[in-house]
Amino acid sequence: MMYIGTSLGGCLLSLLAGEVSEDEVMFIVTRTDCPDYDKFIGVVKSYHAQGNPFVRNPARYSLGDYPLDNAIELATRLYYSGRIHQPRVFASFVGGDNFYQHPAKLGHGLWMQVVPTNDNSTPAVVEAYQKYKVLDTLTK
């Protein structure tokens, strides 16, 4: 499966906790406004030290529960592999922060599953995929 994340802090926590594999991350849409790497890592360090106000269940676990170096290494890999999407960095070019709706504001969870679709699939393939999805959900 591939996932799109909706919170930098929440997704880093989820990845460090092993809930989602880094290989399964297509990208993470963040609320950050960090036009360069140093500013981005500064936010990661802040989330590690002070927590992330956007994490929906901060009592469950905290980024500070994991070594800072692990969080920085993970965030760095995601950043330099192009898997951190920061719409606010571009907001000033297209009319401010109100030009888009962050997925988290639209009621999506921390991870949105990217579902492959194929309009040309045979009915047997469609049925097999639907059964797979049921089994995948039951085994999580």
Side-chain angles (χ1 to χ4, degrees), residues 5-127:
T6 63
S7 165
L8 175 62
C11 290
L12 289 175
L13 282 168
S14 180
L15 288 162
L16 288 169
E19 296 173 346
V20 172
S21 166
E22 186 178 342
D23 295 334
E24 296 176 312
V25 177
M26 183 175 281
F27 60 89
I28 298 170
V29 181
T30 75
R31 293 181 184 95
T32 57
D33 184 3
C34 304
D36 60 57
Y37 172 78
D38 291 332
K39 192 169 183 182
F40 173 74
I41 289 301
V43 169
V44 173
K45 289 178 180 178
S46 172
Y47 286 174
H48 187 272
Q50 302 167 12
N52 176 356
F54 297 108
V55 172
R56 290 179 184 83
N57 189 359
R60 194 168 117 204
Y61 52 92
S62 166
L63 195 56
D65 293 339
Y66 297 91
L68 177 59
D69 289 344
N70 292 9
I72 289 174
E73 288 170 10
L74 173 60
T76 298
R77 286 192 304 273
L78 293 169
Y79 184 90
Y80 281 116
S81 66
R83 293 186 281 168
I84 299 296
H85 177 57
Q86 303 178 84
R88 291 182 63 210
V89 170
F90 306 102
S92 62
F93 298 112
V94 292
D97 279 343
N98 296 323
F99 83 98
Y100 78 100
Q101 287 291 318
H102 188 279
K105 292 181 182 176
L106 300 174
H108 297 291
L110 180 60
W111 294 105
M112 296 184 297
Q113 190 176 68
V114 178
V115 180
T117 58
N118 183 348
D119 294 334
N120 298 319
S121 291
T122 62
V125 171
V126 171
E127 181 182 357

Side-chain angles (χ1 to χ4, degrees), residues 123-136:
V125 171
V126 171
E127 181 182 357
Y129 182 74
Q130 289 171 342
K131 289 179 179 178
Y132 161 77
K133 292 294 297 161
V134 169
L135 290 173
D136 185 51

